Amino acid sequence: MKAKLGEEFRPYIMLGTCNAHFAWRALLAEDKVGALLPCNVIVTETAPGTGEVAAADPVTAMGIIANPRLTAISEDVQQLLQEVIVEL
């Protein structure tokens, strides 16, 4: 934001975390899903020396599409995201 808008903001990083394997499975289940894939994880400083990691819940994000195959894939992704965030 500083470089493009000249605005200051606390340390904030957006990580692109799309997994090609899961994205491919999702595209095979629903070809328009690319517009909805929750592929970002944010890491931000909430106070000096204290951080927070956040990600969209893939089950909720994919829930707007009534497709059981997509639901199963998003549940797999949800489990992996939870495991990664717990380890941080």
Side-chain angles (χ1 to χ4, degrees), residues 19-37:
N19 177 295
H21 173 74
F22 286 112
W24 177 247
R25 287 176 55 200
L27 285 169
L28 290 177
E30 187 72 42
D31 69 343
K32 307 293 187 286
V33 76
L36 298 173
L37 289 177

Side-chain angles (χ1 to χ4, degrees), residues 1 5 7 13 15 17 19-20 26-27 29 35 40 44 48-50 54-56 66 69 71 78 83:
M1 296 300 151
L5 302 175
E7 299 292 340
I13 299 170
L15 304 171
T17 60
N19 177 295
L27 285 169
N40 287 331
T44 187
T50 303
R69 289 174 43 213
T71 300
Q78 180 188 54
E83 290 172 10

Side-chain angles (χ1 to χ4, degrees), residues 36-82:
L36 298 173
L37 289 177
C39 292
N40 287 331
V41 172
I42 62 165
V43 180
T44 187
E45 184 177 58
T46 55
T50 303
E52 178 180 72
V53 178
D57 178 11
V59 173
T60 301
M62 297 296 103
I64 65 170
I65 301 172
N67 183 325
R69 289 174 43 213
L70 197 54
T71 300
I73 296 163
S74 63
E75 288 170 349
D76 291 345
V77 173
Q78 180 188 54
Q79 180 64 36
L80 286 174
L81 271 174
Q82 288 173 343

